[in-house]
């Protein structure tokens, strides 16, 4: 039975037959029913938000985990083969040096000339100097791929269920930055101004979602020329804060009230779903924190996440 069923006067009842007292009582019941319905509605949309959020988190997590897993194995053996290859090259260079030491001993003039010509053709001195550089650069590249895979794994935390954990928020921000690097690097420089932070009790992969949403929004707000995204952190009593600021387009005053609403977006169809900030808001709220925005059109936007360092007695899985 809905609140209205109990509050609505019987259809047979005629209002004109009622006394003022009865009408007041029915009106009061209707008002109460209206309040109950609003509450119910609020709970329903809250439940719906949570469902959307967990679905989005789960699918991004699964995707990230799948990609990380697929890349992890080939990168593992490439990295290991690379170590062996470097060793083999060292040996070959040693061998080459030994042969070069023997060159003057080649009695046949034609044979000696042939060796000298080949060395000149392939520019052996340059190769000797460039091969170690190439190997070093490639090794760095592979190491970077390994790091990205590790970040993807950390980001999705496939192996762990969502649990409240004490973590260094800077690690989460850095992992997330690596993941969205491609979205940011052509548009903005990232400036980090990290303070000394205590470890914070949180749901790390959920918070990474918040960082991800804010960083991608910041990058997308920078449209004309190259901009800057500044990430600052700090402590205030029993709370920590993280500011993610950009010097992009800013948010119009009339939109500031709406940006946390689900499905509010100013981005073209297919570019934004308008869910990023509403999900982020829910996640920060779940942590007992606040997500606040300040923005000036044409100058940029700052989002501040404030989180308690410790959760009240809550250590159940999410
Ligand atoms: N840093 C920002 N600068 C300017 N506008 C912003 C910024 N962050 C959010 N907005 C505005 O708030 C709207 C809602 O943001 P939200 O992250 O919820 O959705 P979205 O980015 O449009 O889509 P989605 O995140 O689902 O891909 C954006 O469309 C944009 O108009
Ligand atoms: Mg967004």
């Amino acid at each position: 039975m809905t609140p209205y069923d109990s509050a609505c006067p019987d259809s047979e009842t005629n209002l004109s037959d009622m006394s003022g007292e009865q009408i007041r009582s029915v009106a009061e019941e209707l008002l109460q029913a209206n309040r109950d319905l609003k509450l119910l509605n609020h709970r329903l949309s809250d439940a719906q938000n949570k469902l959307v959020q967990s679905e989005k988190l789960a699918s991004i997590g699964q995707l990230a985990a799948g990609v990380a897993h697929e890349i992890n194995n080939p990168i593992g053996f490439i990295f290991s083969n690379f170590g062996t290859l470097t060793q083999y090259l060292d040996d070959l260079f040693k061998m080459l040096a030994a042969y070069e030491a023997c060159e003057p001993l080649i009695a046949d003039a034609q044979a000696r000339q042939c060796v000298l010509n080949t060395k000149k053709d392939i520019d052996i001195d340059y190769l000797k100097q460039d091969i170690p550089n190439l190997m070093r650069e490639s090794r760095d590249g592979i190491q970077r791929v390994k790091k990205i895979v590790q970040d993807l794994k950390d980001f999705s935390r496939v192996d762990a269920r969502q649990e409240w954990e004490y973590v260094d928020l800077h690690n989460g921000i850095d992992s997330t930055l690596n993941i969205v690097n491609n979205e940011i690097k052509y548009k903005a420089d990232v400036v980090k101004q990290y303070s000394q932070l205590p470890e914070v009790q949180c749901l790390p992969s959920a918070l990474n979602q918040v960082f991800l949403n804010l960083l991608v929004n910041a990058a997308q707000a920078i449209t004309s020329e190259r901009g800057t995204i500044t990430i600052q952190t700090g402590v205030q009593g029993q709370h920590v804060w993280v500011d993610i600021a950009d010097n992009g387009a800013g948010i119009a005053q009339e939109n500031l009230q709406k940006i946390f609403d689900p499905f509010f977006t100013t981005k073209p169809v297919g570019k934004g779903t308008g869910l990023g900030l509403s999900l982020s808001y829910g996640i920060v709220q779940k942590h007992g924190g606040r997500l606040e925005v300040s923005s000036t059109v044409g100058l940029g936007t700052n989002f501040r996440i404030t989180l308690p360092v410790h959760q009240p007695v809550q250590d159940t899985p999410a």
Side-chain angles (χ1 to χ4, degrees):
M1 194 167 75
T2 73
Y4 269 125
D5 295 330
S6 63
C8 271
D10 193 311
S11 56
E12 315 265 298
T13 316
N14 194 336
L15 275 182
S16 56
D17 295 339
M18 291 184 176
S19 67
E21 185 59 34
Q22 279 174 316
I23 291 176
R24 255 197 304 283
S25 139
V26 168
E28 182 47 48
E29 271 186 66
L30 278 173
L31 282 174
Q32 183 55 43
N34 197 26
R35 281 193 287 271
D36 291 348
L37 271 178
K38 273 189 182 159
L39 195 71
L40 205 65
N41 200 18
H42 183 74
R43 281 200 202 129
L44 269 174
S45 73
D46 209 37
Q48 191 204 18
N49 274 349
K50 280 188 184 138
L51 274 176
V52 173
Q53 173 188 328
S54 60
E55 210 143 286
K56 188 167 172 177
L57 278 180
S59 52
I60 292 178
Q62 266 170 15
L63 184 75
V67 173
H69 180 76
E70 287 304 318
I71 299 176
N72 203 34
N73 286 345
I75 280 297
F77 64 71
I78 291 176
F79 193 70
S80 140
N81 288 355
F82 217 79
T84 318
L85 192 60
T86 313
Q87 181 62 48
Y88 288 171
L89 274 173
D90 284 349
D91 292 348
L92 284 175
F93 277 127
K94 256 188 233 156
M95 192 71 216
L96 186 65
Y99 276 127
E100 281 181 326
C102 297
E103 263 170 34
L105 305 178
I106 302 176
D108 184 292
Q110 212 181 350
R112 197 166 59 236
Q113 195 52 47
C114 179
V115 170
L116 290 178
N117 287 348
T118 311
K119 281 175 78 175
K120 200 165 164 226
D121 281 352
I122 62 169
D123 200 350
I124 189 77
D125 291 333
Y126 180 71
L127 289 194
K128 277 194 223 163
Q129 167 202 329
D130 202 36
I131 286 175
N133 287 344
L134 291 182
M135 296 299 284
R136 202 170 30 252
E137 277 171 25
S138 307
R139 203 186 168 83
D140 286 351
I142 299 172
Q143 244 152 0
R144 264 160 54 193
V145 177
K146 278 185 87 180
K147 171 96 175 68
I148 293 169
V149 170
Q150 189 55 47
D151 286 336
L152 273 172
K153 283 174 140 186
D154 289 352
F155 179 77
S156 58
R157 297 245 166 178
V158 266
D159 30 359
R161 280 189 319 164
Q162 274 208 69
E163 305 250 4
W164 292 95
E165 284 175 53
Y166 279 94
V167 298
D168 179 351
L169 290 188
H170 295 146
N171 287 345
I173 300 173
D174 289 344
S175 293
T176 310
L177 267 174
N178 282 337
I179 286 175
V180 290
N181 188 28
N182 212 32
E183 189 100 12
I184 296 178
K185 70 177 174 206
Y186 301 111
K187 302 181 113 190
D189 299 311
V190 175
V191 176
K192 295 186 207 170
Q193 291 166 353
Y194 290 170
S195 306
Q196 193 80 25
L197 287 192
E199 293 204 324
V200 172
Q201 193 181 14
C202 62
L203 300 167
S205 59
L207 275 191
N208 286 348
Q209 283 293 314
V210 178
F211 301 140
L212 178 100
N213 284 321
L214 297 183
L215 288 166
V216 170
N217 279 350
Q220 288 176 343
I222 295 167
T223 44
S224 44
E225 57 206 47
R226 195 170 176 77
T228 308
I229 297 175
T230 311
I231 308 171
Q232 281 181 292
T233 59
V235 188
Q236 210 166 35
Q238 284 302 300
H239 288 76
V240 297
W241 53 264
V242 178
D243 276 1
I244 296 183
D246 64 75
N247 57 356
I251 304 172
Q253 187 63 33
E254 68 269 22
N255 286 345
L256 272 179
Q257 308 298 320
K258 305 184 204 149
I259 55 170
F260 296 107
D261 294 348
F263 304 111
F264 174 81
T265 181
T266 55
K267 293 172 190 170
V269 182
K271 183 102 189 181
T273 58
L275 281 175
L277 282 178
S278 67
L279 294 179
S280 303
Y281 194 87
I283 292 169
V284 172
Q285 224 177 17
K286 185 171 185 162
H287 284 76
R290 293 191 309 276
L291 180 58
E292 293 155 314
V293 60
S294 58
S295 183
T296 310
V297 173
L299 286 184
T301 304
N302 184 46
F303 280 92
R304 170 165 289 203
I305 309 162
T306 309
L307 297 168
V309 175
H310 309 285
Q311 291 296 314
V313 224
Q314 179 184 16
D315 52 5
T316 47

